[in-house]
Amino acid sequence: MRNVNNKLRKNYRILSALNSDGKGKTTKSKLLSKGFDFEFFTNILETKTGNTYYFVYDQGYRVLEEDYYMLVKKEI
């Protein structure tokens, strides 16, 4: 359980650092180079338009075209 929490915290730190404005864009290679693990997230949100967002606590991402990801921050 501790290992899972450590991976979630690491993913959260990476997303927070890349998404300081609350909305941004990055590449898969940049996330991977920082150590991001796509298998660890806390929840999935599907929008009415069919977009799927993966969240690590309040930081989320969505797959865009090719190698790009949109980064978002959920307002609480």
Side-chain angles (χ1 to χ4, degrees):
M1 180 126 152
R2 183 176 53 195
N3 291 337
V4 171
N5 196 41
N6 286 340
K7 287 186 184 272
L8 287 171
R9 284 191 356 240
K10 183 175 185 179
N11 279 355
Y12 182 80
R13 283 193 302 270
I14 293 167
L15 289 175
S16 295
L18 292 173
N19 190 20
S20 58
D21 297 335
K23 196 167 196 180
K25 195 173 176 184
T26 190
T27 62
K28 184 175 186 175
S29 57
K30 184 180 273 190
L31 288 169
L32 290 173
S33 72
K34 294 185 178 292
F36 192 83
D37 190 338
F38 286 95
E39 298 202 11
F40 289 88
F41 50 87
T42 55
N43 63 317
I44 299 174
L45 173 70
E46 295 213 18
T47 64
K48 292 178 185 176
T49 58
N51 296 325
T52 304
Y53 290 86
Y54 298 90
F55 280 90
V56 181
Y57 306 115
D58 66 337
Q59 293 286 340
Y61 60 93
R62 175 173 78 96
V63 179
L64 297 174
E65 73 282 346
E66 296 176 26
D67 190 34
Y68 287 95
Y69 285 80
M70 180 193 319
L71 304 177
V72 295
K73 183 172 183 177
K74 189 187 299 182
E75 297 298 320
I76 299 174

